[in-house]
Amino acid sequence: LFRESGEAILAQDHNWKGKHWKNLIPEGVHDSFQYAFDWCLEVHQVRSVQAPIVEGNRIKWVQYRLGYYENNDFTGVSLISIDITHQVDTLNELEKLSRSIEQTPSLIVMTDLNGRTEYINPSYERIYGVNLSEQVGKIPIQLKQDKNKDYTQIWKTLSMGESWTGEIEVSR
């Protein structure tokens, strides 16, 4: 807990007691932390601030959750810090994967269990001259077009909730 002045009065880590939050929070986020601190005191709601902390050659991400706190004669801000490094790293990996799918020249179609389109990448949109909103809920033309190819296995795989990966030749 921190007083309106920013001084810690109670903390799980007793080394914090009596220190101002500016001595405990990375300097690079002081402005956004100050804004969140003041906002909590004024609006009486929860606010979050994320900050990178460099530990050796690794970056650790911490989320500070600030909330208005009032009890008898005390008004201040409660602070909880949470290590969100794993979540940030996972999000970064997902963004890289997303960019690679968006930028590949290969056509990518993702369907639901019934084989209906949920997603097409930009290469698919460009080649077929359609956009995602036009294709959502429709069966992709590639799974209907080639009468010489046996699609039984593809449909069986998709209907079992499994992924099918492969190449289908179609003419356009």
Side-chain angles (χ1 to χ4, degrees), residues 27 31 35 48-49 59 61 74 82-84 87-88 98 101-103 108 125 134 137 140 142 155:
E27 190 175 326
D31 288 344
Y35 176 80
S48 293
V49 175
I59 296 177
W61 283 89
F74 178 80
I82 303 163
D83 184 345
I84 59 167
Q87 292 92 323
V88 171
S98 177
I101 289 172
E102 294 286 316
Q103 295 173 4
I108 297 177
E125 291 179 337
E134 295 170 334
Q142 297 83 356
W155 286 109

PDB file of all heavy atoms in Angstrom, residues 27 31 35 48-49 59 61 74 82-84 87-88 98 101-103 108 125 134 137 140 142 155:
ATOM      1  N   GLU A  27      12.852   3.595 -13.736  1.00  0.00           N
ATOM      2  CA  GLU A  27      12.762   5.011 -14.100  1.00  0.00           C
ATOM      3  C   GLU A  27      12.058   5.242 -15.441  1.00  0.00           C
ATOM      4  O   GLU A  27      11.348   6.221 -15.608  1.00  0.00           O
ATOM      5  CB  GLU A  27      14.161   5.623 -14.137  1.00  0.00           C
ATOM      6  CG  GLU A  27      14.147   7.135 -14.260  1.00  0.00           C
ATOM      7  CD  GLU A  27      15.543   7.714 -14.163  1.00  0.00           C
ATOM      8  OE1 GLU A  27      16.378   7.175 -13.416  1.00  0.00           O
ATOM      9  OE2 GLU A  27      15.786   8.725 -14.837  1.00  0.00           O
ATOM     10  N   ASP A  31       6.722   8.229 -15.628  1.00  0.00           N
ATOM     11  CA  ASP A  31       5.630   9.096 -16.088  1.00  0.00           C
ATOM     12  C   ASP A  31       4.315   8.330 -16.197  1.00  0.00           C
ATOM     13  O   ASP A  31       3.284   8.794 -15.704  1.00  0.00           O
ATOM     14  CB  ASP A  31       5.971   9.738 -17.437  1.00  0.00           C
ATOM     15  CG  ASP A  31       7.047  10.810 -17.308  1.00  0.00           C
ATOM     16  OD1 ASP A  31       7.316  11.268 -16.174  1.00  0.00           O
ATOM     17  OD2 ASP A  31       7.622  11.184 -18.354  1.00  0.00           O
ATOM     18  N   TYR A  35       0.991   8.745 -13.786  1.00  0.00           N
ATOM     19  CA  TYR A  35      -0.351   8.964 -14.357  1.00  0.00           C
ATOM     20  C   TYR A  35      -1.329   7.926 -13.800  1.00  0.00           C
ATOM     21  O   TYR A  35      -2.431   8.271 -13.377  1.00  0.00           O
ATOM     22  CB  TYR A  35      -0.297   8.875 -15.889  1.00  0.00           C
ATOM     23  CG  TYR A  35      -1.647   8.994 -16.523  1.00  0.00           C
ATOM     24  CD1 TYR A  35      -2.250  10.239 -16.702  1.00  0.00           C
ATOM     25  CD2 TYR A  35      -2.343   7.863 -16.936  1.00  0.00           C
ATOM     26  CE1 TYR A  35      -3.504  10.357 -17.274  1.00  0.00           C
ATOM     27  CE2 TYR A  35      -3.600   7.966 -17.497  1.00  0.00           C
ATOM     28  CZ  TYR A  35      -4.177   9.218 -17.674  1.00  0.00           C
ATOM     29  OH  TYR A  35      -5.418   9.314 -18.227  1.00  0.00           O
ATOM     30  N   SER A  48      -3.326  -0.516 -14.930  1.00  0.00           N
ATOM     31  CA  SER A  48      -2.124  -1.334 -15.081  1.00  0.00           C
ATOM     32  C   SER A  48      -1.040  -0.591 -15.841  1.00  0.00           C
ATOM     33  O   SER A  48      -1.338   0.192 -16.740  1.00  0.00           O
ATOM     34  CB  SER A  48      -2.442  -2.630 -15.831  1.00  0.00           C
ATOM     35  OG  SER A  48      -3.277  -3.454 -15.069  1.00  0.00           O
ATOM     36  N   VAL A  49       0.198  -0.882 -15.489  1.00  0.00           N
ATOM     37  CA  VAL A  49       1.364  -0.347 -16.185  1.00  0.00           C
ATOM     38  C   VAL A  49       2.314  -1.518 -16.404  1.00  0.00           C
ATOM     39  O   VAL A  49       2.576  -2.284 -15.473  1.00  0.00           O
ATOM     40  CB  VAL A  49       2.076   0.745 -15.352  1.00  0.00           C
ATOM     41  CG1 VAL A  49       3.345   1.201 -16.039  1.00  0.00           C
ATOM     42  CG2 VAL A  49       1.150   1.920 -15.087  1.00  0.00           C
ATOM     43  N   ILE A  59      15.474  -9.631 -20.782  1.00  0.00           N
ATOM     44  CA  ILE A  59      14.458  -8.651 -20.395  1.00  0.00           C
ATOM     45  C   ILE A  59      13.315  -9.374 -19.705  1.00  0.00           C
ATOM     46  O   ILE A  59      12.762 -10.342 -20.233  1.00  0.00           O
ATOM     47  CB  ILE A  59      13.933  -7.876 -21.612  1.00  0.00           C
ATOM     48  CG1 ILE A  59      15.048  -7.050 -22.233  1.00  0.00           C
ATOM     49  CG2 ILE A  59      12.761  -6.975 -21.211  1.00  0.00           C
ATOM     50  CD1 ILE A  59      14.649  -6.299 -23.477  1.00  0.00           C
ATOM     51  N   TRP A  61       9.528  -8.820 -18.067  1.00  0.00           N
ATOM     52  CA  TRP A  61       8.396  -7.888 -18.114  1.00  0.00           C
ATOM     53  C   TRP A  61       7.578  -8.009 -16.843  1.00  0.00           C
ATOM     54  O   TRP A  61       7.270  -9.115 -16.397  1.00  0.00           O
ATOM     55  CB  TRP A  61       7.518  -8.185 -19.322  1.00  0.00           C
ATOM     56  CG  TRP A  61       8.125  -7.674 -20.583  1.00  0.00           C
ATOM     57  CD1 TRP A  61       8.987  -8.331 -21.408  1.00  0.00           C
ATOM     58  CD2 TRP A  61       7.936  -6.375 -21.140  1.00  0.00           C
ATOM     59  NE1 TRP A  61       9.342  -7.519 -22.450  1.00  0.00           N
ATOM     60  CE2 TRP A  61       8.710  -6.320 -22.320  1.00  0.00           C
ATOM     61  CE3 TRP A  61       7.195  -5.262 -20.767  1.00  0.00           C
ATOM     62  CZ2 TRP A  61       8.760  -5.182 -23.115  1.00  0.00           C
ATOM     63  CZ3 TRP A  61       7.238  -4.142 -21.570  1.00  0.00           C
ATOM     64  CH2 TRP A  61       8.012  -4.109 -22.733  1.00  0.00           C
ATOM     65  N   PHE A  74      -7.225   6.105   6.118  1.00  0.00           N
ATOM     66  CA  PHE A  74      -6.162   5.941   5.135  1.00  0.00           C
ATOM     67  C   PHE A  74      -6.723   5.912   3.714  1.00  0.00           C
ATOM     68  O   PHE A  74      -7.660   5.189   3.416  1.00  0.00           O
ATOM     69  CB  PHE A  74      -5.382   4.653   5.386  1.00  0.00           C
ATOM     70  CG  PHE A  74      -4.312   4.407   4.363  1.00  0.00           C
ATOM     71  CD1 PHE A  74      -3.094   5.062   4.447  1.00  0.00           C
ATOM     72  CD2 PHE A  74      -4.528   3.545   3.305  1.00  0.00           C
ATOM     73  CE1 PHE A  74      -2.111   4.844   3.504  1.00  0.00           C
ATOM     74  CE2 PHE A  74      -3.549   3.325   2.368  1.00  0.00           C
ATOM     75  CZ  PHE A  74      -2.334   3.972   2.459  1.00  0.00           C
ATOM     76  N   ILE A  82       3.296  -8.297 -11.078  1.00  0.00           N
ATOM     77  CA  ILE A  82       3.157  -9.640 -11.630  1.00  0.00           C
ATOM     78  C   ILE A  82       4.174  -9.814 -12.752  1.00  0.00           C
ATOM     79  O   ILE A  82       4.270  -8.968 -13.643  1.00  0.00           O
ATOM     80  CB  ILE A  82       1.731  -9.848 -12.193  1.00  0.00           C
ATOM     81  CG1 ILE A  82       0.689  -9.592 -11.112  1.00  0.00           C
ATOM     82  CG2 ILE A  82       1.578 -11.245 -12.787  1.00  0.00           C
ATOM     83  CD1 ILE A  82      -0.705  -9.379 -11.665  1.00  0.00           C
ATOM     84  N   ASP A  83       4.911 -10.907 -12.722  1.00  0.00           N
ATOM     85  CA  ASP A  83       5.854 -11.218 -13.798  1.00  0.00           C
ATOM     86  C   ASP A  83       5.054 -11.733 -14.994  1.00  0.00           C
ATOM     87  O   ASP A  83       4.415 -12.780 -14.926  1.00  0.00           O
ATOM     88  CB  ASP A  83       6.851 -12.280 -13.323  1.00  0.00           C
ATOM     89  CG  ASP A  83       7.918 -12.594 -14.356  1.00  0.00           C
ATOM     90  OD1 ASP A  83       7.760 -12.228 -15.539  1.00  0.00           O
ATOM     91  OD2 ASP A  83       8.912 -13.229 -13.983  1.00  0.00           O
ATOM     92  N   ILE A  84       5.066 -10.974 -16.088  1.00  0.00           N
ATOM     93  CA  ILE A  84       4.314 -11.358 -17.286  1.00  0.00           C
ATOM     94  C   ILE A  84       5.258 -11.677 -18.453  1.00  0.00           C
ATOM     95  O   ILE A  84       4.848 -11.664 -19.616  1.00  0.00           O
ATOM     96  CB  ILE A  84       3.306 -10.265 -17.699  1.00  0.00           C
ATOM     97  CG1 ILE A  84       4.006  -8.936 -17.974  1.00  0.00           C
ATOM     98  CG2 ILE A  84       2.213 -10.110 -16.650  1.00  0.00           C
ATOM     99  CD1 ILE A  84       3.130  -7.910 -18.670  1.00  0.00           C
ATOM    100  N   GLN A  87       3.996 -14.372 -20.860  1.00  0.00           N
ATOM    101  CA  GLN A  87       2.898 -13.909 -21.706  1.00  0.00           C
ATOM    102  C   GLN A  87       3.413 -12.997 -22.819  1.00  0.00           C
ATOM    103  O   GLN A  87       2.978 -13.107 -23.966  1.00  0.00           O
ATOM    104  CB  GLN A  87       1.836 -13.168 -20.886  1.00  0.00           C
ATOM    105  CG  GLN A  87       1.059 -14.048 -19.937  1.00  0.00           C
ATOM    106  CD  GLN A  87       1.678 -14.117 -18.554  1.00  0.00           C
ATOM    107  OE1 GLN A  87       2.896 -14.124 -18.385  1.00  0.00           O
ATOM    108  NE2 GLN A  87       0.843 -14.204 -17.542  1.00  0.00           N
ATOM    109  N   VAL A  88       4.327 -12.099 -22.494  1.00  0.00           N
ATOM    110  CA  VAL A  88       4.882 -11.187 -23.497  1.00  0.00           C
ATOM    111  C   VAL A  88       5.670 -11.971 -24.542  1.00  0.00           C
ATOM    112  O   VAL A  88       5.529 -11.731 -25.745  1.00  0.00           O
ATOM    113  CB  VAL A  88       5.756 -10.092 -22.834  1.00  0.00           C
ATOM    114  CG1 VAL A  88       6.516  -9.289 -23.871  1.00  0.00           C
ATOM    115  CG2 VAL A  88       4.887  -9.165 -21.975  1.00  0.00           C
ATOM    116  N   SER A  98       2.118 -14.935 -37.102  1.00  0.00           N
ATOM    117  CA  SER A  98       1.073 -14.250 -37.852  1.00  0.00           C
ATOM    118  C   SER A  98       1.652 -13.498 -39.048  1.00  0.00           C
ATOM    119  O   SER A  98       1.123 -13.572 -40.158  1.00  0.00           O
ATOM    120  CB  SER A  98       0.317 -13.280 -36.937  1.00  0.00           C
ATOM    121  OG  SER A  98      -0.639 -12.563 -37.663  1.00  0.00           O
ATOM    122  N   ILE A 101       2.594 -15.917 -41.840  1.00  0.00           N
ATOM    123  CA  ILE A 101       1.417 -16.399 -42.571  1.00  0.00           C
ATOM    124  C   ILE A 101       0.876 -15.306 -43.485  1.00  0.00           C
ATOM    125  O   ILE A 101       0.488 -15.564 -44.620  1.00  0.00           O
ATOM    126  CB  ILE A 101       0.328 -16.883 -41.585  1.00  0.00           C
ATOM    127  CG1 ILE A 101       0.784 -18.187 -40.929  1.00  0.00           C
ATOM    128  CG2 ILE A 101      -1.017 -17.060 -42.276  1.00  0.00           C
ATOM    129  CD1 ILE A 101      -0.105 -18.651 -39.798  1.00  0.00           C
ATOM    130  N   GLU A 102       0.884 -14.086 -43.004  1.00  0.00           N
ATOM    131  CA  GLU A 102       0.389 -12.965 -43.801  1.00  0.00           C
ATOM    132  C   GLU A 102       1.287 -12.674 -44.999  1.00  0.00           C
ATOM    133  O   GLU A 102       0.826 -12.218 -46.025  1.00  0.00           O
ATOM    134  CB  GLU A 102       0.277 -11.700 -42.935  1.00  0.00           C
ATOM    135  CG  GLU A 102      -0.765 -11.777 -41.844  1.00  0.00           C
ATOM    136  CD  GLU A 102      -2.177 -11.664 -42.349  1.00  0.00           C
ATOM    137  OE1 GLU A 102      -2.440 -10.801 -43.210  1.00  0.00           O
ATOM    138  OE2 GLU A 102      -3.023 -12.443 -41.892  1.00  0.00           O
ATOM    139  N   GLN A 103       2.597 -12.942 -44.884  1.00  0.00           N
ATOM    140  CA  GLN A 103       3.549 -12.551 -45.921  1.00  0.00           C
ATOM    141  C   GLN A 103       3.941 -13.681 -46.874  1.00  0.00           C
ATOM    142  O   GLN A 103       4.584 -13.424 -47.882  1.00  0.00           O
ATOM    143  CB  GLN A 103       4.811 -11.978 -45.271  1.00  0.00           C
ATOM    144  CG  GLN A 103       4.537 -10.687 -44.532  1.00  0.00           C
ATOM    145  CD  GLN A 103       5.738 -10.189 -43.749  1.00  0.00           C
ATOM    146  OE1 GLN A 103       6.818 -10.765 -43.797  1.00  0.00           O
ATOM    147  NE2 GLN A 103       5.540  -9.120 -43.007  1.00  0.00           N
ATOM    148  N   ILE A 108      -3.043 -19.861 -47.970  1.00  0.00           N
ATOM    149  CA  ILE A 108      -3.388 -20.541 -46.727  1.00  0.00           C
ATOM    150  C   ILE A 108      -4.868 -20.331 -46.441  1.00  0.00           C
ATOM    151  O   ILE A 108      -5.374 -19.215 -46.482  1.00  0.00           O
ATOM    152  CB  ILE A 108      -2.535 -20.025 -45.552  1.00  0.00           C
ATOM    153  CG1 ILE A 108      -1.068 -20.346 -45.805  1.00  0.00           C
ATOM    154  CG2 ILE A 108      -3.019 -20.629 -44.236  1.00  0.00           C
ATOM    155  CD1 ILE A 108      -0.124 -19.827 -44.764  1.00  0.00           C
ATOM    156  N   GLU A 125      -6.315 -14.060 -51.049  1.00  0.00           N
ATOM    157  CA  GLU A 125      -7.181 -12.949 -51.462  1.00  0.00           C
ATOM    158  C   GLU A 125      -6.739 -12.387 -52.808  1.00  0.00           C
ATOM    159  O   GLU A 125      -7.567 -12.121 -53.683  1.00  0.00           O
ATOM    160  CB  GLU A 125      -7.176 -11.836 -50.405  1.00  0.00           C
ATOM    161  CG  GLU A 125      -7.858 -12.214 -49.115  1.00  0.00           C
ATOM    162  CD  GLU A 125      -7.819 -11.101 -48.077  1.00  0.00           C
ATOM    163  OE1 GLU A 125      -6.929 -10.219 -48.151  1.00  0.00           O
ATOM    164  OE2 GLU A 125      -8.683 -11.109 -47.191  1.00  0.00           O
ATOM    165  N   GLU A 134     -15.876 -12.068 -47.600  1.00  0.00           N
ATOM    166  CA  GLU A 134     -16.667 -12.750 -48.631  1.00  0.00           C
ATOM    167  C   GLU A 134     -16.563 -14.269 -48.523  1.00  0.00           C
ATOM    168  O   GLU A 134     -17.457 -14.984 -48.962  1.00  0.00           O
ATOM    169  CB  GLU A 134     -16.186 -12.346 -50.036  1.00  0.00           C
ATOM    170  CG  GLU A 134     -16.394 -10.891 -50.372  1.00  0.00           C
ATOM    171  CD  GLU A 134     -15.686 -10.494 -51.660  1.00  0.00           C
ATOM    172  OE1 GLU A 134     -14.672 -11.139 -52.031  1.00  0.00           O
ATOM    173  OE2 GLU A 134     -16.149  -9.530 -52.275  1.00  0.00           O
ATOM    174  N   GLY A 137     -17.313 -18.742 -43.845  1.00  0.00           N
ATOM    175  CA  GLY A 137     -18.496 -19.596 -43.840  1.00  0.00           C
ATOM    176  C   GLY A 137     -18.700 -20.392 -45.115  1.00  0.00           C
ATOM    177  O   GLY A 137     -19.570 -21.257 -45.173  1.00  0.00           O
ATOM    178  N   PRO A 140     -14.035 -23.651 -49.227  1.00  0.00           N
ATOM    179  CA  PRO A 140     -13.037 -23.151 -50.175  1.00  0.00           C
ATOM    180  C   PRO A 140     -13.141 -23.852 -51.527  1.00  0.00           C
ATOM    181  O   PRO A 140     -13.333 -25.067 -51.594  1.00  0.00           O
ATOM    182  CB  PRO A 140     -11.693 -23.478 -49.511  1.00  0.00           C
ATOM    183  CG  PRO A 140     -12.007 -23.681 -48.079  1.00  0.00           C
ATOM    184  CD  PRO A 140     -13.411 -24.192 -48.020  1.00  0.00           C
ATOM    185  N   GLN A 142     -10.968 -24.675 -53.560  1.00  0.00           N
ATOM    186  CA  GLN A 142      -9.944 -25.694 -53.765  1.00  0.00           C
ATOM    187  C   GLN A 142     -10.425 -27.077 -53.339  1.00  0.00           C
ATOM    188  O   GLN A 142      -9.952 -28.084 -53.823  1.00  0.00           O
ATOM    189  CB  GLN A 142      -8.664 -25.375 -52.982  1.00  0.00           C
ATOM    190  CG  GLN A 142      -7.980 -24.119 -53.379  1.00  0.00           C
ATOM    191  CD  GLN A 142      -8.596 -22.909 -52.699  1.00  0.00           C
ATOM    192  OE1 GLN A 142      -9.574 -22.999 -51.981  1.00  0.00           O
ATOM    193  NE2 GLN A 142      -8.018 -21.754 -52.937  1.00  0.00           N
ATOM    194  N   TRP A 155     -11.574 -34.336 -46.092  1.00  0.00           N
ATOM    195  CA  TRP A 155     -12.797 -34.049 -45.345  1.00  0.00           C
ATOM    196  C   TRP A 155     -12.858 -34.869 -44.056  1.00  0.00           C
ATOM    197  O   TRP A 155     -13.291 -34.375 -43.014  1.00  0.00           O
ATOM    198  CB  TRP A 155     -14.032 -34.312 -46.192  1.00  0.00           C
ATOM    199  CG  TRP A 155     -14.222 -33.244 -47.218  1.00  0.00           C
ATOM    200  CD1 TRP A 155     -14.050 -33.374 -48.558  1.00  0.00           C
ATOM    201  CD2 TRP A 155     -14.571 -31.885 -46.988  1.00  0.00           C
ATOM    202  NE1 TRP A 155     -14.281 -32.179 -49.185  1.00  0.00           N
ATOM    203  CE2 TRP A 155     -14.612 -31.237 -48.240  1.00  0.00           C
ATOM    204  CE3 TRP A 155     -14.855 -31.135 -45.848  1.00  0.00           C
ATOM    205  CZ2 TRP A 155     -14.924 -29.902 -48.384  1.00  0.00           C
ATOM    206  CZ3 TRP A 155     -15.167 -29.803 -45.993  1.00  0.00           C
ATOM    207  CH2 TRP A 155     -15.198 -29.201 -47.241  1.00  0.00           C
TER     208      TRP A 155
END
